[in-house]
Amino acid sequence: MTHRGSRVLHVGSLSRVEGEGALYLGVRDGTVTEARLKIYEPPRFFEALLRGRSYTEPPDITARVCGICPVAYQMSACAAIEDACGVDVGPVIRDLRRLLYCGEWIESQSLHIYLLHAPDFLGRAGAIELARTHRAEVERGLRLKQAGNALMELLGGRAVHPVNVRLGGFHRAPSRTELRALTEDLRRALDDAWATVRWVSGFDFPDAHVEADLLALAAPDTYAIESGTPTVLRADGSRDSFPVRDFTERVRETHVPHSTALHSRLDGRLHLTGSLARFAIGGARLSEVARQAAVEAGLGDPYSGAVCRNPFRSIQVRAVETLYAVTEALRIIAAYEPPERPYVEVPPVAGVGHGATEAPRGVLYHRYQLAADGTVTSALLVPPTAQNQGAIEDDLRRLAQQAISEHDPDDAELTDLCERAIRNHDPCISCSTHFLDLTVVRTSGRTQGGGHD
């Protein structure tokens, strides 16, 4: 097949990747010469929209960046602005924020596991086809997602683009009775989360290995979600950490010709953020229940420093994280005492603030510069998918090369492999139209051109 000259493939509706993108894969005499994940959606200008706004507005405005992970944007915005203003909201509000974030983790991770990723392992085109053959499993995933949505609705006011979050805390804090009313559903969700770990652990996982450095937040006493210190686990096993304020000194964004999304490098190297990175860096801080689930899943003992670098097994790590989020939600609810006030005052201060939280897809960094009256004079948002783009391309290149070297797959099989490789990382290209076009150009001898539409 490597002697068939130039070939062009088009994959027109990959509905299980969020947003519009294209992949260009160049193969010359059996060697993958280039893999480019093209992002061609127009810029959304959220950073420009934030300039000139009041410092109280970014939590509501940035929540509109993503309909699946709005809490991540709200929490990073709050963290950065409160950092600029020198305000600590205190333990009760921090716990409520963590609880809200647990709701987002549960709903987002279960959506990815059941509706986006599992069909790849079971030979189904999508969630509808999966429901025809695995109805009970899909219903279980929807129950899990609803448990997360219920937390978001109570704490955030609604499940999509929550409206109850504000700078300094919440407009309204729930009562103990309201929160504890969710306990029964969360206990059922705990059973569903355990069943999810066991279900996905029965899938067949191709051999693969991510070479990129791993980046995640780390906290001294807990698995980092809503706060933490950026920590790097390099491919050689060495680690280091740096303050959130140094994020843009270590993670540099650049334009690339084939994408409207910026590409990032960590200290000049490819890096990956997300579930695999969190498990590798912070796994020792998982709950005992989550640790047991990881061991049972075959991921190794995170308390002993287990690291998983197989991107196909990321679905298992997400299942363990979903289980963790449910146990964490139950823990916070059991100990909850309503605060005297649902928020603390955040007076405006001229300065720069930095904040980072762990969206389900990885580290999400915000930076804001404020004038003395609280006007936002500059804003910077660095989402996890933009950081992961280079590592995804490297992953695609190596997986495609491995497949071609081992058994020279036909174009249909190679296309399927590339689609799966992209979905392993659950990229959020945007929250609009969903499809991927794949272009594979095969040449023998003289380089030939390929097309894409």
PDB file of all heavy atoms in Angstrom, residues 195-229:
ATOM      1  N   ALA A 195     -19.057   0.119  38.971  1.00  0.00           N
ATOM      2  CA  ALA A 195     -19.390  -0.721  37.820  1.00  0.00           C
ATOM      3  C   ALA A 195     -18.728  -0.189  36.552  1.00  0.00           C
ATOM      4  O   ALA A 195     -18.335  -0.962  35.675  1.00  0.00           O
ATOM      5  CB  ALA A 195     -20.909  -0.785  37.649  1.00  0.00           C
ATOM      6  N   THR A 196     -18.585   1.120  36.467  1.00  0.00           N
ATOM      7  CA  THR A 196     -17.939   1.728  35.295  1.00  0.00           C
ATOM      8  C   THR A 196     -16.466   1.335  35.238  1.00  0.00           C
ATOM      9  O   THR A 196     -15.944   0.977  34.175  1.00  0.00           O
ATOM     10  CB  THR A 196     -18.075   3.258  35.351  1.00  0.00           C
ATOM     11  OG1 THR A 196     -19.457   3.610  35.369  1.00  0.00           O
ATOM     12  CG2 THR A 196     -17.409   3.904  34.152  1.00  0.00           C
ATOM     13  N   VAL A 197     -15.785   1.418  36.379  1.00  0.00           N
ATOM     14  CA  VAL A 197     -14.370   1.024  36.418  1.00  0.00           C
ATOM     15  C   VAL A 197     -14.218  -0.419  35.954  1.00  0.00           C
ATOM     16  O   VAL A 197     -13.341  -0.743  35.130  1.00  0.00           O
ATOM     17  CB  VAL A 197     -13.798   1.194  37.840  1.00  0.00           C
ATOM     18  CG1 VAL A 197     -12.389   0.608  37.931  1.00  0.00           C
ATOM     19  CG2 VAL A 197     -13.781   2.669  38.239  1.00  0.00           C
ATOM     20  N   ARG A 198     -15.062  -1.292  36.452  1.00  0.00           N
ATOM     21  CA  ARG A 198     -14.949  -2.712  36.099  1.00  0.00           C
ATOM     22  C   ARG A 198     -15.311  -2.953  34.635  1.00  0.00           C
ATOM     23  O   ARG A 198     -14.705  -3.789  33.961  1.00  0.00           O
ATOM     24  CB  ARG A 198     -15.836  -3.531  37.032  1.00  0.00           C
ATOM     25  CG  ARG A 198     -15.279  -3.548  38.455  1.00  0.00           C
ATOM     26  CD  ARG A 198     -16.271  -4.044  39.472  1.00  0.00           C
ATOM     27  NE  ARG A 198     -15.650  -4.082  40.820  1.00  0.00           N
ATOM     28  CZ  ARG A 198     -16.305  -3.870  41.946  1.00  0.00           C
ATOM     29  NH1 ARG A 198     -17.610  -3.603  41.913  1.00  0.00           N
ATOM     30  NH2 ARG A 198     -15.671  -3.919  43.103  1.00  0.00           N
ATOM     31  N   TRP A 199     -16.287  -2.214  34.138  1.00  0.00           N
ATOM     32  CA  TRP A 199     -16.717  -2.380  32.739  1.00  0.00           C
ATOM     33  C   TRP A 199     -15.604  -1.983  31.779  1.00  0.00           C
ATOM     34  O   TRP A 199     -15.218  -2.759  30.909  1.00  0.00           O
ATOM     35  CB  TRP A 199     -17.957  -1.531  32.498  1.00  0.00           C
ATOM     36  CG  TRP A 199     -18.540  -1.635  31.119  1.00  0.00           C
ATOM     37  CD1 TRP A 199     -18.909  -2.770  30.454  1.00  0.00           C
ATOM     38  CD2 TRP A 199     -18.842  -0.540  30.245  1.00  0.00           C
ATOM     39  NE1 TRP A 199     -19.418  -2.453  29.213  1.00  0.00           N
ATOM     40  CE2 TRP A 199     -19.394  -1.104  29.063  1.00  0.00           C
ATOM     41  CE3 TRP A 199     -18.711   0.839  30.350  1.00  0.00           C
ATOM     42  CZ2 TRP A 199     -19.807  -0.309  27.992  1.00  0.00           C
ATOM     43  CZ3 TRP A 199     -19.135   1.635  29.297  1.00  0.00           C
ATOM     44  CH2 TRP A 199     -19.664   1.066  28.126  1.00  0.00           C
ATOM     45  N   VAL A 200     -15.062  -0.774  31.951  1.00  0.00           N
ATOM     46  CA  VAL A 200     -14.050  -0.313  30.998  1.00  0.00           C
ATOM     47  C   VAL A 200     -12.752  -1.096  31.127  1.00  0.00           C
ATOM     48  O   VAL A 200     -11.979  -1.203  30.163  1.00  0.00           O
ATOM     49  CB  VAL A 200     -13.790   1.206  31.136  1.00  0.00           C
ATOM     50  CG1 VAL A 200     -15.074   1.996  30.908  1.00  0.00           C
ATOM     51  CG2 VAL A 200     -13.179   1.561  32.485  1.00  0.00           C
ATOM     52  N   SER A 201     -12.511  -1.676  32.299  1.00  0.00           N
ATOM     53  CA  SER A 201     -11.284  -2.456  32.476  1.00  0.00           C
ATOM     54  C   SER A 201     -11.320  -3.764  31.696  1.00  0.00           C
ATOM     55  O   SER A 201     -10.291  -4.420  31.533  1.00  0.00           O
ATOM     56  CB  SER A 201     -11.035  -2.726  33.958  1.00  0.00           C
ATOM     57  OG  SER A 201     -10.788  -1.505  34.642  1.00  0.00           O
ATOM     58  N   GLY A 202     -12.502  -4.138  31.204  1.00  0.00           N
ATOM     59  CA  GLY A 202     -12.615  -5.320  30.369  1.00  0.00           C
ATOM     60  C   GLY A 202     -12.383  -5.062  28.894  1.00  0.00           C
ATOM     61  O   GLY A 202     -12.430  -5.993  28.080  1.00  0.00           O
ATOM     62  N   PHE A 203     -12.142  -3.808  28.513  1.00  0.00           N
ATOM     63  CA  PHE A 203     -11.890  -3.475  27.115  1.00  0.00           C
ATOM     64  C   PHE A 203     -10.493  -3.964  26.707  1.00  0.00           C
ATOM     65  O   PHE A 203      -9.617  -4.171  27.548  1.00  0.00           O
ATOM     66  CB  PHE A 203     -11.985  -1.967  26.887  1.00  0.00           C
ATOM     67  CG  PHE A 203     -13.355  -1.377  27.105  1.00  0.00           C
ATOM     68  CD1 PHE A 203     -13.517   0.004  27.218  1.00  0.00           C
ATOM     69  CD2 PHE A 203     -14.480  -2.177  27.197  1.00  0.00           C
ATOM     70  CE1 PHE A 203     -14.771   0.559  27.402  1.00  0.00           C
ATOM     71  CE2 PHE A 203     -15.746  -1.616  27.398  1.00  0.00           C
ATOM     72  CZ  PHE A 203     -15.884  -0.255  27.503  1.00  0.00           C
ATOM     73  N   ASP A 204     -10.300  -4.099  25.402  1.00  0.00           N
ATOM     74  CA  ASP A 204      -8.973  -4.406  24.866  1.00  0.00           C
ATOM     75  C   ASP A 204      -8.233  -3.102  24.590  1.00  0.00           C
ATOM     76  O   ASP A 204      -8.760  -2.218  23.901  1.00  0.00           O
ATOM     77  CB  ASP A 204      -9.090  -5.212  23.566  1.00  0.00           C
ATOM     78  CG  ASP A 204      -9.601  -6.628  23.822  1.00  0.00           C
ATOM     79  OD1 ASP A 204      -9.297  -7.176  24.894  1.00  0.00           O
ATOM     80  OD2 ASP A 204     -10.301  -7.173  22.954  1.00  0.00           O
ATOM     81  N   PHE A 205      -7.013  -3.005  25.102  1.00  0.00           N
ATOM     82  CA  PHE A 205      -6.242  -1.774  24.966  1.00  0.00           C
ATOM     83  C   PHE A 205      -5.010  -2.022  24.093  1.00  0.00           C
ATOM     84  O   PHE A 205      -4.145  -2.823  24.457  1.00  0.00           O
ATOM     85  CB  PHE A 205      -5.806  -1.246  26.331  1.00  0.00           C
ATOM     86  CG  PHE A 205      -6.951  -0.965  27.259  1.00  0.00           C
ATOM     87  CD1 PHE A 205      -7.241  -1.818  28.323  1.00  0.00           C
ATOM     88  CD2 PHE A 205      -7.763   0.140  27.057  1.00  0.00           C
ATOM     89  CE1 PHE A 205      -8.288  -1.562  29.164  1.00  0.00           C
ATOM     90  CE2 PHE A 205      -8.830   0.399  27.898  1.00  0.00           C
ATOM     91  CZ  PHE A 205      -9.095  -0.446  28.950  1.00  0.00           C
ATOM     92  N   PRO A 206      -4.926  -1.343  22.949  1.00  0.00           N
ATOM     93  CA  PRO A 206      -3.706  -1.457  22.143  1.00  0.00           C
ATOM     94  C   PRO A 206      -2.497  -0.964  22.924  1.00  0.00           C
ATOM     95  O   PRO A 206      -2.613  -0.145  23.838  1.00  0.00           O
ATOM     96  CB  PRO A 206      -3.995  -0.539  20.935  1.00  0.00           C
ATOM     97  CG  PRO A 206      -5.483  -0.370  20.919  1.00  0.00           C
ATOM     98  CD  PRO A 206      -5.923  -0.461  22.342  1.00  0.00           C
ATOM     99  N   ASP A 207      -1.331  -1.466  22.570  1.00  0.00           N
ATOM    100  CA  ASP A 207      -0.101  -0.986  23.185  1.00  0.00           C
ATOM    101  C   ASP A 207       0.225   0.402  22.637  1.00  0.00           C
ATOM    102  O   ASP A 207       0.237   0.621  21.435  1.00  0.00           O
ATOM    103  CB  ASP A 207       1.058  -1.937  22.884  1.00  0.00           C
ATOM    104  CG  ASP A 207       0.915  -3.261  23.614  1.00  0.00           C
ATOM    105  OD1 ASP A 207       0.309  -3.259  24.702  1.00  0.00           O
ATOM    106  OD2 ASP A 207       1.398  -4.277  23.092  1.00  0.00           O
ATOM    107  N   ALA A 208       0.481   1.330  23.527  1.00  0.00           N
ATOM    108  CA  ALA A 208       0.853   2.689  23.135  1.00  0.00           C
ATOM    109  C   ALA A 208       1.522   3.351  24.325  1.00  0.00           C
ATOM    110  O   ALA A 208       1.341   2.929  25.481  1.00  0.00           O
ATOM    111  CB  ALA A 208      -0.369   3.499  22.680  1.00  0.00           C
ATOM    112  N   HIS A 209       2.275   4.397  24.049  1.00  0.00           N
ATOM    113  CA  HIS A 209       3.040   5.058  25.110  1.00  0.00           C
ATOM    114  C   HIS A 209       3.207   6.523  24.755  1.00  0.00           C
ATOM    115  O   HIS A 209       3.707   6.859  23.682  1.00  0.00           O
ATOM    116  CB  HIS A 209       4.417   4.398  25.254  1.00  0.00           C
ATOM    117  CG  HIS A 209       5.210   4.900  26.417  1.00  0.00           C
ATOM    118  ND1 HIS A 209       5.032   4.427  27.700  1.00  0.00           N
ATOM    119  CD2 HIS A 209       6.187   5.846  26.493  1.00  0.00           C
ATOM    120  CE1 HIS A 209       5.863   5.045  28.520  1.00  0.00           C
ATOM    121  NE2 HIS A 209       6.573   5.914  27.813  1.00  0.00           N
ATOM    122  N   VAL A 210       2.748   7.400  25.629  1.00  0.00           N
ATOM    123  CA  VAL A 210       2.910   8.837  25.445  1.00  0.00           C
ATOM    124  C   VAL A 210       4.303   9.245  25.893  1.00  0.00           C
ATOM    125  O   VAL A 210       4.704   8.967  27.034  1.00  0.00           O
ATOM    126  CB  VAL A 210       1.846   9.618  26.244  1.00  0.00           C
ATOM    127  CG1 VAL A 210       2.140  11.109  26.208  1.00  0.00           C
ATOM    128  CG2 VAL A 210       0.457   9.351  25.690  1.00  0.00           C
ATOM    129  N   GLU A 211       5.044   9.899  25.017  1.00  0.00           N
ATOM    130  CA  GLU A 211       6.410  10.297  25.326  1.00  0.00           C
ATOM    131  C   GLU A 211       6.500  11.672  25.975  1.00  0.00           C
ATOM    132  O   GLU A 211       7.515  12.021  26.569  1.00  0.00           O
ATOM    133  CB  GLU A 211       7.246  10.300  24.034  1.00  0.00           C
ATOM    134  CG  GLU A 211       7.342   8.954  23.347  1.00  0.00           C
ATOM    135  CD  GLU A 211       8.204   7.962  24.106  1.00  0.00           C
ATOM    136  OE1 GLU A 211       8.931   8.399  25.014  1.00  0.00           O
ATOM    137  OE2 GLU A 211       8.153   6.767  23.783  1.00  0.00           O
ATOM    138  N   ALA A 212       5.449  12.470  25.855  1.00  0.00           N
ATOM    139  CA  ALA A 212       5.499  13.862  26.302  1.00  0.00           C
ATOM    140  C   ALA A 212       5.636  13.972  27.815  1.00  0.00           C
ATOM    141  O   ALA A 212       5.270  13.052  28.563  1.00  0.00           O
ATOM    142  CB  ALA A 212       4.237  14.595  25.849  1.00  0.00           C
ATOM    143  N   ASP A 213       6.172  15.106  28.276  1.00  0.00           N
ATOM    144  CA  ASP A 213       6.160  15.415  29.696  1.00  0.00           C
ATOM    145  C   ASP A 213       4.713  15.571  30.160  1.00  0.00           C
ATOM    146  O   ASP A 213       3.826  15.947  29.381  1.00  0.00           O
ATOM    147  CB  ASP A 213       6.927  16.706  29.978  1.00  0.00           C
ATOM    148  CG  ASP A 213       8.417  16.577  29.689  1.00  0.00           C
ATOM    149  OD1 ASP A 213       8.903  15.437  29.578  1.00  0.00           O
ATOM    150  OD2 ASP A 213       9.080  17.617  29.567  1.00  0.00           O
ATOM    151  N   LEU A 214       4.467  15.298  31.434  1.00  0.00           N
ATOM    152  CA  LEU A 214       3.131  15.395  32.002  1.00  0.00           C
ATOM    153  C   LEU A 214       3.057  16.613  32.923  1.00  0.00           C
ATOM    154  O   LEU A 214       3.977  16.882  33.687  1.00  0.00           O
ATOM    155  CB  LEU A 214       2.790  14.128  32.783  1.00  0.00           C
ATOM    156  CG  LEU A 214       2.858  12.815  31.984  1.00  0.00           C
ATOM    157  CD1 LEU A 214       2.552  11.629  32.900  1.00  0.00           C
ATOM    158  CD2 LEU A 214       1.917  12.841  30.789  1.00  0.00           C
ATOM    159  N   LEU A 215       1.932  17.335  32.842  1.00  0.00           N
ATOM    160  CA  LEU A 215       1.736  18.535  33.655  1.00  0.00           C
ATOM    161  C   LEU A 215       0.379  18.466  34.337  1.00  0.00           C
ATOM    162  O   LEU A 215      -0.647  18.260  33.684  1.00  0.00           O
ATOM    163  CB  LEU A 215       1.810  19.791  32.784  1.00  0.00           C
ATOM    164  CG  LEU A 215       1.456  21.114  33.467  1.00  0.00           C
ATOM    165  CD1 LEU A 215       2.472  21.463  34.553  1.00  0.00           C
ATOM    166  CD2 LEU A 215       1.351  22.244  32.446  1.00  0.00           C
ATOM    167  N   ALA A 216       0.371  18.636  35.653  1.00  0.00           N
ATOM    168  CA  ALA A 216      -0.868  18.653  36.421  1.00  0.00           C
ATOM    169  C   ALA A 216      -0.664  19.482  37.676  1.00  0.00           C
ATOM    170  O   ALA A 216       0.468  19.736  38.093  1.00  0.00           O
ATOM    171  CB  ALA A 216      -1.301  17.233  36.793  1.00  0.00           C
ATOM    172  N   LEU A 217      -1.769  19.887  38.288  1.00  0.00           N
ATOM    173  CA  LEU A 217      -1.695  20.531  39.597  1.00  0.00           C
ATOM    174  C   LEU A 217      -1.500  19.463  40.667  1.00  0.00           C
ATOM    175  O   LEU A 217      -1.970  18.336  40.526  1.00  0.00           O
ATOM    176  CB  LEU A 217      -2.965  21.323  39.878  1.00  0.00           C
ATOM    177  CG  LEU A 217      -3.329  22.437  38.894  1.00  0.00           C
ATOM    178  CD1 LEU A 217      -4.586  23.164  39.361  1.00  0.00           C
ATOM    179  CD2 LEU A 217      -2.175  23.413  38.714  1.00  0.00           C
ATOM    180  N   ALA A 218      -0.814  19.823  41.718  1.00  0.00           N
ATOM    181  CA  ALA A 218      -0.618  18.924  42.850  1.00  0.00           C
ATOM    182  C   ALA A 218      -0.911  19.677  44.137  1.00  0.00           C
ATOM    183  O   ALA A 218      -0.583  20.862  44.263  1.00  0.00           O
ATOM    184  CB  ALA A 218       0.812  18.374  42.868  1.00  0.00           C
ATOM    185  N   ALA A 219      -1.544  18.998  45.073  1.00  0.00           N
ATOM    186  CA  ALA A 219      -1.846  19.576  46.384  1.00  0.00           C
ATOM    187  C   ALA A 219      -1.288  18.661  47.461  1.00  0.00           C
ATOM    188  O   ALA A 219      -1.198  17.444  47.265  1.00  0.00           O
ATOM    189  CB  ALA A 219      -3.362  19.746  46.553  1.00  0.00           C
ATOM    190  N   PRO A 220      -0.902  19.223  48.607  1.00  0.00           N
ATOM    191  CA  PRO A 220      -0.216  18.400  49.615  1.00  0.00           C
ATOM    192  C   PRO A 220      -1.090  17.339  50.264  1.00  0.00           C
ATOM    193  O   PRO A 220      -0.595  16.272  50.624  1.00  0.00           O
ATOM    194  CB  PRO A 220       0.259  19.434  50.646  1.00  0.00           C
ATOM    195  CG  PRO A 220      -0.631  20.618  50.445  1.00  0.00           C
ATOM    196  CD  PRO A 220      -0.957  20.634  48.996  1.00  0.00           C
ATOM    197  N   ASP A 221      -2.386  17.597  50.413  1.00  0.00           N
ATOM    198  CA  ASP A 221      -3.225  16.704  51.210  1.00  0.00           C
ATOM    199  C   ASP A 221      -4.418  16.130  50.455  1.00  0.00           C
ATOM    200  O   ASP A 221      -5.234  15.422  51.058  1.00  0.00           O
ATOM    201  CB  ASP A 221      -3.740  17.436  52.461  1.00  0.00           C
ATOM    202  CG  ASP A 221      -2.600  17.931  53.332  1.00  0.00           C
ATOM    203  OD1 ASP A 221      -1.639  17.167  53.535  1.00  0.00           O
ATOM    204  OD2 ASP A 221      -2.674  19.089  53.791  1.00  0.00           O
ATOM    205  N   THR A 222      -4.553  16.438  49.169  1.00  0.00           N
ATOM    206  CA  THR A 222      -5.728  15.976  48.446  1.00  0.00           C
ATOM    207  C   THR A 222      -5.417  15.885  46.957  1.00  0.00           C
ATOM    208  O   THR A 222      -4.399  16.402  46.491  1.00  0.00           O
ATOM    209  CB  THR A 222      -6.913  16.946  48.685  1.00  0.00           C
ATOM    210  OG1 THR A 222      -8.115  16.374  48.159  1.00  0.00           O
ATOM    211  CG2 THR A 222      -6.668  18.289  48.009  1.00  0.00           C
ATOM    212  N   TYR A 223      -6.273  15.196  46.230  1.00  0.00           N
ATOM    213  CA  TYR A 223      -6.150  15.113  44.778  1.00  0.00           C
ATOM    214  C   TYR A 223      -6.593  16.452  44.210  1.00  0.00           C
ATOM    215  O   TYR A 223      -7.707  16.913  44.446  1.00  0.00           O
ATOM    216  CB  TYR A 223      -7.055  13.987  44.280  1.00  0.00           C
ATOM    217  CG  TYR A 223      -6.749  13.466  42.885  1.00  0.00           C
ATOM    218  CD1 TYR A 223      -5.536  12.842  42.597  1.00  0.00           C
ATOM    219  CD2 TYR A 223      -7.699  13.550  41.878  1.00  0.00           C
ATOM    220  CE1 TYR A 223      -5.271  12.327  41.340  1.00  0.00           C
ATOM    221  CE2 TYR A 223      -7.459  13.035  40.611  1.00  0.00           C
ATOM    222  CZ  TYR A 223      -6.242  12.424  40.341  1.00  0.00           C
ATOM    223  OH  TYR A 223      -5.986  11.917  39.092  1.00  0.00           O
ATOM    224  N   ALA A 224      -5.714  17.107  43.482  1.00  0.00           N
ATOM    225  CA  ALA A 224      -5.963  18.487  43.065  1.00  0.00           C
ATOM    226  C   ALA A 224      -7.121  18.567  42.079  1.00  0.00           C
ATOM    227  O   ALA A 224      -7.160  17.841  41.079  1.00  0.00           O
ATOM    228  CB  ALA A 224      -4.704  19.080  42.447  1.00  0.00           C
ATOM    229  N   ILE A 225      -8.043  19.465  42.360  1.00  0.00           N
ATOM    230  CA  ILE A 225      -9.159  19.749  41.450  1.00  0.00           C
ATOM    231  C   ILE A 225      -9.265  21.258  41.259  1.00  0.00           C
ATOM    232  O   ILE A 225      -8.988  21.781  40.193  1.00  0.00           O
ATOM    233  CB  ILE A 225     -10.496  19.185  41.973  1.00  0.00           C
ATOM    234  CG1 ILE A 225     -10.428  17.661  42.112  1.00  0.00           C
ATOM    235  CG2 ILE A 225     -11.637  19.567  41.038  1.00  0.00           C
ATOM    236  CD1 ILE A 225     -11.691  17.029  42.659  1.00  0.00           C
ATOM    237  N   GLU A 226      -9.663  21.958  42.323  1.00  0.00           N
ATOM    238  CA  GLU A 226      -9.959  23.385  42.198  1.00  0.00           C
ATOM    239  C   GLU A 226      -8.756  24.265  42.520  1.00  0.00           C
ATOM    240  O   GLU A 226      -8.842  25.489  42.383  1.00  0.00           O
ATOM    241  CB  GLU A 226     -11.154  23.755  43.084  1.00  0.00           C
ATOM    242  CG  GLU A 226     -10.859  24.000  44.548  1.00  0.00           C
ATOM    243  CD  GLU A 226     -10.406  22.756  45.329  1.00  0.00           C
ATOM    244  OE1 GLU A 226     -10.467  21.635  44.796  1.00  0.00           O
ATOM    245  OE2 GLU A 226     -10.002  22.927  46.496  1.00  0.00           O
ATOM    246  N   SER A 227      -7.647  23.688  42.909  1.00  0.00           N
ATOM    247  CA  SER A 227      -6.442  24.470  43.198  1.00  0.00           C
ATOM    248  C   SER A 227      -5.253  23.518  43.281  1.00  0.00           C
ATOM    249  O   SER A 227      -5.418  22.302  43.357  1.00  0.00           O
ATOM    250  CB  SER A 227      -6.583  25.253  44.515  1.00  0.00           C
ATOM    251  OG  SER A 227      -6.713  24.358  45.604  1.00  0.00           O
ATOM    252  N   GLY A 228      -4.061  24.102  43.277  1.00  0.00           N
ATOM    253  CA  GLY A 228      -2.860  23.292  43.401  1.00  0.00           C
ATOM    254  C   GLY A 228      -1.660  23.976  42.778  1.00  0.00           C
ATOM    255  O   GLY A 228      -1.761  25.089  42.229  1.00  0.00           O
ATOM    256  N   THR A 229      -0.525  23.318  42.859  1.00  0.00           N
ATOM    257  CA  THR A 229       0.732  23.843  42.329  1.00  0.00           C
ATOM    258  C   THR A 229       1.073  23.122  41.032  1.00  0.00           C
ATOM    259  O   THR A 229       1.116  21.877  41.015  1.00  0.00           O
ATOM    260  CB  THR A 229       1.865  23.624  43.349  1.00  0.00           C
ATOM    261  OG1 THR A 229       1.539  24.306  44.563  1.00  0.00           O
ATOM    262  CG2 THR A 229       3.188  24.158  42.812  1.00  0.00           C
TER     263      THR A 229
END
